[in-house]
Amino acid sequence: MAGAPAKADEPQPHPAKEQLPNISYCITSPPPWPEAILLGFQHYLVMLGTTVIIPSSLVPQMGGGNEEKAKVIQTLLFVAGLNTLLQSLFGTRLPAVIGGSYTFVPTTISIILAGRFSDTTTDPVERFKRIMRAIQGSLIVASTLQIVLGFSGLWRNVTRFLSPLSVVPLVSLVGFGLYEFGFPGVAKCVEIGLPQLILLVFVSQYMPHVIKSGRHVFDRFAVIFTVAIVWIYAHLLTVGGAYNGKAPKTQTSCRTDRAGLIDAAPWIRIPYPFQWGAPSFDAGEAFAMMMASFVALVESTGAFIAVSRYASATPMPPSILSRGVGWQGVAILVSGLFGTVNGSSVSVENAGLLALTRVGSRRVVQISAGFMIFFSILGKFGAVFASIPAPIIAALYCLFFAYVGAGGLSFLQFCNLNSFRTKFILGFSVFMGLSVPQYFNEYTAINGYGPVHTGARWFNNIVNVPFSSEAFVAGCLAYFLDNTLHRKGNAIRKDRGKHWWDKFRSFKGDSRSEEFYSLPFNLNKYFPSV
């Protein structure tokens, strides 16, 4: 008999949940102040990694010394704090940290290597400023792409066609695709990185079960505890002379006194726009930077979706996502005006931190933005935290990128995994998303230039950069296949999980969207979301 109720002893599948359960504090519920401040500080510590690593690798190539490096890191921090506040107030209103992005690095490097800066006769600091101004110019032009796509609502029309199925490869590879920043970074100094990784997993996952205090101390503040312990241990190794006479590479990775930031950083300095002089513009470089900006836009879309999941919010209506992208364009514009050597995008590691702490509160991220601005102005204090050895940060990445990847996989709960259409789209896009960038990155590592190698550098970048991004390849492929492969019929709609997201297609479709995503200060009256 077909309509018979299921037998009591038959195992039931896990029910699908629109909002992630077991989150201690969701977007709108802030934790008590002392806890919120500590959690905010933790977000600040985690985003420092990217903020320090990118200028540390780029500024020396541009001809800048430690002093310039310290200034650029401060500027990047200041701009990140500013943009995080803007994004959490007026953008998507998600607890997303907007920081530096690795996506812009290849394009930036090709500007650094451009022929017009190759004359070595000039003073290196002068050369640094000239390159910096060229990078600023291309960023300012490139920011228009996201501003236009976001605020015109064009991106809304693109993301309307996302389904839980096409989101899976995008979001999971936003996390997993960064695997080269995980263990390879830890291994640069195993005796520091590995203890950090093991301790972090132990304190955050095992300790709460060993010591049942009922207060989430260990899982929530695992980063502060473990980084402090391992940092002290690394400092003892440095002071004890463990690295005396070792190779310079080992010394830079392992020592706690090698960053050269604390001496070089000024006591108090407020970054301001055009601090390096007036930006210079070059059409080819601007186009190349636009492509990088578009790749960052696709990756950030994935990161925003992961953040909304871990903040226990309902899926974002496309109009909100579009608004967030517009403000991210503003963030890139601000980066260009201040001169941070780098564009801005959603920090993936901070999205993972939301999962570790299970606190998705907006206030916590706003407090962390306050820390960023505070420590970027008080240079010496900020430099102390900025000199945490890179392997410690890489160990944190191992956990956070993994969480974001798993957040992407969790959207499979809305799809039918027994459908062959689902299997094909999922498997093919994830595999190609790992395989294509592998070829591009390997080719570049061996030959020093990408597979597309014409006389026009900017054109090479326009092709090589997107195909080197795992999330971009996988996301675009999944989006294309999901929207072109026989999608007619109700059964296939259900296989894609589209029916779960129907009520979130428009802002008014679900009352919870108002609670999570409406603008502050009654601004929704003047800027209604559709």
Side-chain angles (χ1 to χ4, degrees):
M1 174 173 160
K7 293 194 195 74
D9 55 350
E10 269 188 25
Q12 292 299 313
H14 297 288
K17 303 267 199 230
E18 287 164 353
Q19 286 175 269
L20 187 62
N22 306 330
I23 294 282
S24 314
Y25 297 97
C26 74
I27 297 196
T28 45
S29 57
W33 276 103
E35 205 168 314
I37 288 171
L38 270 180
L39 286 163
F41 183 68
Q42 217 168 213
H43 272 280
Y44 162 73
L45 270 190
V46 167
M47 66 79 63
L48 261 184
T50 313
T51 309
V52 173
I53 290 168
I54 293 176
S56 299
S57 67
L58 293 177
V59 172
Q61 293 184 50
M62 293 159 66
N66 276 348
E67 197 174 319
E68 284 74 32
K69 187 165 80 177
K71 278 184 187 169
V72 172
I73 291 175
Q74 281 180 302
T75 309
L76 189 48
L77 252 184
F78 183 80
V79 169
L82 212 60
N83 291 330
T84 303
L85 277 180
L86 288 175
Q87 185 68 29
S88 63
L89 280 172
F90 307 118
T92 50
R93 305 224 65 207
L94 286 171
V97 172
I98 309 291
S101 162
Y102 291 109
T103 314
F104 294 91
V105 171
T107 320
T108 312
I109 289 179
S110 89
I111 295 179
I112 294 175
L113 300 175
R116 61 181 196 279
F117 303 122
S118 56
D119 54 332
T120 45
T121 48
T122 50
D123 165 42
V125 176
E126 194 45 50
R127 178 170 171 261
F128 162 80
K129 285 188 173 165
R130 276 178 59 203
I131 297 177
M132 174 63 96
R133 296 200 287 262
I135 295 170
Q136 281 180 267
S138 59
L139 276 174
I140 290 170
V141 177
S143 70
T144 54
L145 177 85
Q146 289 197 22
I147 292 176
V148 169
L149 279 179
F151 289 136
S152 68
L154 278 170
W155 196 244
R156 178 182 77 217
N157 295 336
V158 173
T159 48
R160 272 199 9 232
F161 295 104
L162 278 174
S163 69
L165 175 55
S166 52
V167 156
V168 171
L170 171 65
V171 181
S172 51
L173 286 196
V174 162
F176 295 144
L178 293 164
Y179 58 86
E180 65 232 47
F181 297 108
F183 198 80
V186 172
K188 283 195 178 127
C189 188
V190 177
E191 59 269 36
I192 293 174
L194 205 54
Q196 170 66 37
L197 184 54
I198 294 168
L199 258 180
L200 183 64
V201 171
F202 179 73
V203 172
S204 64
Q205 308 300 323
Y206 290 91
M207 283 288 265
H209 299 292
V210 178
I211 304 174
K212 290 191 171 61
S213 62
R215 319 242 342 246
H216 300 275
V217 178
F218 295 110
D219 42 357
R220 211 166 278 171
F221 302 112
V223 174
I224 291 183
F225 285 144
T226 55
V227 167
I229 294 169
V230 178
W231 195 12
I232 292 170
Y233 155 71
H235 192 66
L236 291 177
L237 282 182
T238 306
V239 177
Y243 302 116
N244 297 352
K246 288 276 168 67
K249 220 173 183 176
T250 318
Q251 296 220 14
T252 0
S253 300
C254 298
R255 291 182 78 103
T256 50
D257 55 3
R258 265 293 170 270
L261 291 175
I262 301 180
D263 299 338
W267 279 104
I268 289 184
R269 178 175 180 276
I270 299 177
Y272 53 96
F274 307 122
Q275 49 187 351
W276 317 105
S280 62
F281 296 93
D282 176 284
E285 286 167 4
F287 279 122
M289 203 54 104
M290 266 190 173
M291 194 65 215
S293 166
F294 183 64
V295 175
L297 158 65
V298 173
E299 291 174 354
S300 292
T301 300
F304 272 137
I305 292 170
V307 170
S308 75
R309 186 80 192 147
Y310 281 134
S312 189
T314 47
M316 263 182 298
S319 58
I320 303 295
L321 189 52
S322 199
R323 189 173 76 194
V325 164
W327 278 101
Q328 196 174 285
V330 174
I332 296 177
L333 176 63
V334 174
S335 304
L337 295 176
F338 277 82
T340 61
V341 209
N342 197 255
S344 299
S345 77
V346 181
S347 154
V348 181
E349 51 271 34
N350 288 84
L353 182 60
L354 296 178
L356 181 76
T357 55
R358 300 192 195 176
V359 176
S361 158
R362 191 184 293 141
R363 178 174 296 168
V364 167
V365 167
Q366 287 166 342
I367 291 173
S368 84
F371 274 118
M372 292 172 212
I373 293 172
F374 177 75
F375 281 119
S376 67
I377 293 173
L378 294 179
K380 283 269 194 271
F381 296 105
V384 173
F385 295 109
S387 57
I388 296 176
I392 293 184
I393 304 288
L396 299 179
Y397 285 174
C398 289
L399 197 60
F400 297 148
F401 293 161
Y403 262 132
V404 173
L409 296 180
S410 74
F411 284 101
L412 287 172
Q413 61 185 303
F414 305 118
C415 311
N416 175 11
L417 285 173
N418 292 326
S419 129
F420 274 96
R421 179 183 181 278
T422 307
K423 283 182 165 46
F424 164 69
I425 294 175
L426 186 66
F428 187 60
S429 55
V430 169
F431 181 81
M432 293 311 279
L434 290 169
S435 191
V436 174
Q438 171 66 24
Y439 164 69
F440 274 78
N441 293 335
E442 199 173 300
Y443 191 101
T444 311
I446 292 169
N447 298 306
Y449 50 82
V452 178
H453 187 54
T454 61
R457 288 186 98 116
W458 58 274
F459 176 75
N460 304 344
N461 272 352
I462 285 180
V463 185
N464 289 332
V465 168
F467 287 114
S468 312
S469 158
E470 285 87 352
F472 183 82
V473 175
C476 291
L477 195 54
Y479 181 85
F480 174 77
L481 293 172
D482 189 38
N483 283 309
T484 51
L485 264 178
H486 45 260
R487 46 175 253 225
K488 294 277 181 285
N490 215 8
I492 288 187
R493 216 183 130 70
K494 280 208 161 69
D495 286 350
R496 301 167 61 197
K498 201 75 174 137
H499 59 294
W500 280 95
W501 282 8
D502 278 344
K503 55 172 175 264
F504 304 110
R505 293 254 324 242
S506 76
F507 185 68
K508 299 275 185 282
D510 189 285
S511 57
R512 289 169 294 181
S513 297
E514 185 94 23
E515 177 195 344
F516 294 132
Y517 301 116
S518 61
L519 290 168
F521 317 125
N522 235 344
L523 283 170
N524 261 31
K525 249 186 5 212
Y526 311 104
F527 303 100
S529 307
V530 288

